Amino acid sequence: MIGYLKGELLSADERGLLLLTPGGVGYEVAAPTSVLAKLPAKGGEVRLFVHTQVGEKAIDLFGFLDADDLDLFRTLISIDKLGPKKAMAILSMFDAAHLREIAYREDVTTLSTVPGIGPKSAKQILWNLKDKVDKLAPVTTRAAAGPQGPQGEYLDALAGLKGLGYSEDEARPLLLDVLDEEPDLDAAGAIRAVLKKINAARS
């Protein structure tokens, strides 16, 4: 099985990329848009961690820039009825940290924004993913304790900021920065610290 490829980028589009290895062999590799957006210009060197899917009619390769993303992909496709196509669609929209949050919150609405995944499918995916969520990259060091410990404080703070009218995309990076700087903050303290950052940036 192919597990890793290094070579020259010949082309790339929304479906994936064509990689020429030093041995002169070109490989077509599917990749999520999060990977495609980080590729170098044509002719640049690309290194990919690869999952090989052997089917009846074809051998498909799925490429990722780091081993953690490959592990996440394999975690997703281990869920019943969640094949590579849907897993790629999910990874095109969410990184490991964000997906961990969604799973802990059982956020059906957010996962349903992925093309091809409706509310019913999202609920089933999240139900299965919660059992596997410890395999995903932690949100922060303090998140490793799980939703009843520090992770719960993080999610409570995120929910509080959203309740104050801030979007998740705006609140998440600020909240992660705050908790990295002061890992012992509770949810209320984290919210106050984020609001201070926001006010300072606007002044």
Side-chain angles (χ1 to χ4, degrees):
M1 296 292 181
I2 297 171
Y4 184 84
L5 289 172
K6 180 178 76 171
E8 176 188 347
L9 179 65
L10 295 185
S11 64
D13 57 28
E14 67 277 3
R15 296 169 299 176
L17 61 138
L18 179 60
L19 189 68
L20 178 65
T21 62
V25 179
Y27 291 91
E28 290 185 348
V29 184
T33 56
S34 54
V35 170
L36 298 174
K38 297 176 182 177
L39 292 177
K42 182 179 177 180
E45 183 182 82
V46 177
R47 303 176 183 223
L48 295 173
F49 292 87
V50 176
H51 175 80
T52 303
Q53 184 87 11
V54 180
E56 293 182 2
K57 297 182 179 180
I59 297 176
D60 296 313
L61 304 179
F62 302 90
F64 306 92
L65 296 177
D66 59 63
D68 287 340
D69 287 341
L70 173 61
D71 288 342
L72 175 54
F73 175 78
R74 287 173 171 165
T75 296
L76 288 171
I77 63 174
S78 70
I79 297 173
D80 188 37
K81 296 182 180 180
L82 181 58
K85 185 175 181 180
K86 287 185 178 179
M88 295 287 277
I90 291 172
L91 292 177
S92 290
M93 295 186 65
F94 307 117
D95 60 20
H98 199 175
L99 194 57
R100 185 187 181 98
E101 297 165 21
I102 292 170
Y104 274 132
R105 294 199 311 262
E106 298 186 37
D107 190 344
V108 172
T109 300
T110 298
L111 189 59
S112 297
T113 61
V114 177
I117 297 180
K120 185 176 180 180
S121 296
K123 186 175 182 179
Q124 182 69 21
I125 290 169
L126 290 174
W127 186 81
N128 284 279
L129 190 58
K130 284 193 72 173
D131 293 334
K132 304 173 184 292
V133 77
D134 287 339
K135 294 182 179 180
L136 306 183
V139 179
T140 64
T141 302
R142 62 192 256 108
Q148 302 305 319
Q151 175 72 18
E153 300 290 349
Y154 167 80
L155 295 178
D156 286 347
L158 182 61
L161 289 165
K162 291 170 68 177
L164 292 173
Y166 297 99
S167 70
E168 187 163 332
D169 287 341
E170 182 181 13
R172 284 179 69 245
L174 292 172
L175 182 56
L176 292 175
D177 286 345
V178 163
L179 292 177
D180 282 340
E181 293 168 2
E182 299 183 69
D184 293 327
L185 284 175
D186 60 10
I191 290 173
R192 288 194 295 270
V194 169
L195 293 177
K196 286 182 181 178
K197 280 182 174 288
I198 292 173
N199 291 332
R202 291 176 177 176
S203 62

